[in-house]
Amino acid sequence: FYSEDNGKIMGLGYILEWEEVENATGYELRVNEQTLSSEEARFDLIHQVRVGQESEIWIKAKGNGTTYVDSEEVKYTVTPKRADYGFSYEYDSELGGYLVSRGESTKTDIAFADRTHGNPIIGVARRGFDKEYTGVDVTSVTFSPEIKYIFSSAFSGTSMNSVTIPGTVEILYGSAFYVCKNLKQVTLEEGIKTIGISTFYNTAIESIFVPSSVEIIDPRAFNSPTLKTIEVSENNEYYCSIDGNL
């Protein structure tokens, strides 16, 4: 949200951030008749605003009572919109973030945001986008840099033909891309640590490169009839390839 005279407020999920005011000792917000305070130029409004509901937000910078006085209030009227295409999120307290699944989304080319409800989206839930389970066929996926876990059967049976797994992903759980028969090109970026059982079972992969960061590969991770060669980074301390074999 932008105000030419008073700077800008930027929304990320329900987190609002605004330009810091020099010499301010803090900020006071009024949201839907609630008065709130923040020491930083940001605030999580998860309990104050709702998707589709118009809210008035008044913000002022607080002075120190002597040298600097409070600023005038600036009013913003906002209506938060759903930016996740109807995805469903479940918070995992042990992992410290949200796991995403299809929810009500019917999109086939999907991309994940970094955060929702003020917390990171750290994984794709078990069977989250499994074609048989959800009834929706994913044709492409773009992962955010926050994703650390792709759980079992997350994209089983989908029709994507290529995928890049970012290096932020620590674990690819078993059957994550099980029977993705059109999946021919897979890029595993540096940083991935574990590749589970049948992760790429019965895909169309002909060759794959394993980066140096990978520490655990289940013997059946790449069990696919089309696979001809597996190459491993020469810097990998746990695996090597000989004549295209792991």
Side-chain angles (χ1 to χ4, degrees):
F1 309 99
Y2 180 74
S3 168
E4 185 174 338
D5 297 326
N6 301 295
K8 61 183 178 179
I9 294 180
M10 297 171 290
L12 177 62
Y14 295 116
I15 298 290
L16 291 185
E17 299 180 344
W18 56 91
E19 290 183 353
E20 190 170 347
V21 177
E22 187 176 2
N23 298 314
T25 59
Y27 303 89
E28 183 178 284
L29 298 83
R30 290 194 295 119
V31 185
N32 296 333
E33 300 182 354
Q34 295 184 58
T35 300
L36 310 163
S37 61
S38 175
E39 295 181 357
E40 302 176 303
R42 66 195 307 271
F43 196 84
D44 184 354
L45 294 169
I46 183 60
H47 299 299
Q48 284 76 36
V49 299
R50 294 292 181 269
V51 170
Q53 174 183 309
E54 183 177 278
S55 297
E56 291 186 353
I57 303 174
W58 298 78
I59 301 177
K60 68 178 178 181
K62 300 288 290 181
N64 59 11
T66 54
T67 311
Y68 301 102
V69 299
D70 295 354
S71 72
E72 294 184 0
E73 285 188 315
V74 178
K75 176 186 175 182
Y76 299 89
T77 301
V78 300
T79 304
K81 297 181 179 179
R82 185 181 295 278
D84 55 23
Y85 306 111
F87 295 154
S88 176
Y89 300 97
E90 180 179 355
Y91 187 77
D92 189 308
S93 57
E94 184 175 339
L95 297 177
Y98 282 95
L99 305 181
V100 59
S101 58
R102 185 186 73 85
E104 299 178 357
S105 172
T106 57
K107 287 185 66 67
T108 59
D109 55 328
I110 61 176
F112 300 129
D114 294 350
R115 305 172 70 83
T116 186
H117 298 79
N119 288 284
I121 301 169
I122 59 171
V124 183
R126 178 179 179 273
R127 304 195 74 177
F129 294 85
D130 180 331
K131 179 182 177 181
E132 181 180 0
Y133 186 69
T134 66
V136 176
D137 188 5
V138 173
T139 56
S140 69
V141 58
T142 301
F143 296 101
S144 78
E146 295 283 357
I147 296 290
K148 295 181 179 180
Y149 312 100
I150 301 177
F151 282 93
S152 301
S153 302
F155 297 98
S156 290
T158 56
S159 295
M160 65 181 77
N161 52 40
S162 66
V163 66
T164 297
I165 311 298
T168 52
V169 173
E170 297 177 6
I171 304 176
L172 275 166
Y173 283 86
S175 303
F177 296 90
Y178 183 86
V179 195
C180 292
K181 294 184 178 181
N182 294 336
L183 184 56
K184 190 172 184 177
Q185 181 178 345
V186 173
T187 301
L188 303 175
E189 294 188 345
E190 188 70 37
I192 298 168
K193 295 181 179 180
T194 300
I195 304 173
I197 183 173
S198 300
T199 297
F200 298 103
Y201 175 85
N202 199 10
T203 63
I205 298 172
E206 295 181 358
S207 64
I208 195 161
F209 179 79
V210 177
S212 64
S213 58
V214 174
E215 301 175 2
I216 299 173
I217 303 175
D218 186 274
R220 291 161 289 182
F222 304 114
N223 189 356
S224 186
T226 58
L227 185 62
K228 298 176 181 177
T229 60
I230 300 176
E231 297 296 332
V232 180
S233 168
E234 61 182 14
N235 296 319
N236 190 296
E237 299 180 0
Y238 301 91
Y239 295 95
C240 66
S241 58
I242 301 175
D243 297 329
N245 297 306
L246 185 64

